[in-house]
Each structure stands twice: as structure tokens, then as C-alpha cells.
Amino acid sequence: MSILFSAGRTRLVLSGAIDATVGEEMTSAVAECTASALPVDVDARTVTFLDSSGAAHLARLARTLPVRVIQPPDAMRFVLSVTALDSTVEILDDAPDYPVR
């Protein structure tokens, strides 16, 4: 998990399993993204698993800021669908350019 900042957006890069085992790290990442007060792109291209705790972190983030999820794998799309997060976040099939500051 890493966070990149630019002048207009924050990119939260997730990889592997996003579940309760990374809860503290996700809590910190969500807080850092929220503090930036910029729209957030969640790069989900290498996520292998998302459980309800990971979805809850994304929901918290999306309640505060505009969130786009970049190329979520099918398993993650399913979780976003059943939790109705797919109606709250924008799902991107292509990764947008990202100028790092």
C-alpha cells in the first residue's frame, strides 16, 4: 500500500489482500488521503482479495471525498457491487495518467 500525491489528486495504490490483516494500515492510509482533501484514485490493479473490512475503509473514504477505483479485478468488482459501493465510487477500466509532484 502506498500513497502518491499530485496537485489535483491523491492516488492510493493497493495490492494483495485488502482485509482485516491490513486494517491499521488502511485506517492510516484513509486518514492521510482524507487529510489531503483531494479526490482519490484507488489503484486496485493488483488487489487479489477484498473483504468487508476493506470495503468499509473504501466506503469511509468515499463518504468524504470523490473516489475512483482503477481497474478493480472481478472479485473486487463483485464486493463493490454487493455492498453498493459501485454506485458511490466511479470505476475506471483504464488507468488515467498521474503526474507525481
Side-chain angles (χ1 to χ4, degrees), residues 46-62:
T46 59
V47 170
T48 57
F49 178 76
L50 177 74
D51 73 358
S52 60
S53 65
H57 285 291
L58 291 177
R60 248 180 249 111
L61 186 59

Side-chain angles (χ1 to χ4, degrees), residues 9-10 34 37 46 50 52 63 68 75 77 83 85 92 97:
R9 298 195 78 78
T10 299
T34 301
T46 59
L50 177 74
S52 60
R63 276 196 302 268
R68 302 188 303 187
R77 284 178 190 259
T83 59
L85 275 171
L92 303 178
D97 289 335

Side-chain angles (χ1 to χ4, degrees), residues 10-44:
T10 299
R11 183 172 284 195
L12 173 59
V13 181
L14 303 178
S15 63
I18 307 302
D19 56 18
T21 64
V22 295
E24 286 184 37
E25 192 175 357
M26 274 297 288
T27 297
S28 295
V30 167
E32 195 170 342
C33 290
T34 301
S36 78
L38 296 170
V40 178
D41 288 341
V42 177
D43 188 336

Side-chain angles (χ1 to χ4, degrees), residues 2 18 25-26 28-29 37 45 55 59 65-67 75 79 85 87-88 91 98 101:
S2 61
I18 307 302
E25 192 175 357
M26 274 297 288
S28 295
R45 292 178 282 187
L65 300 167
V67 173
V79 173
L85 275 171
S87 65
T88 304
I91 296 176
Y98 189 78
R101 65 174 168 180

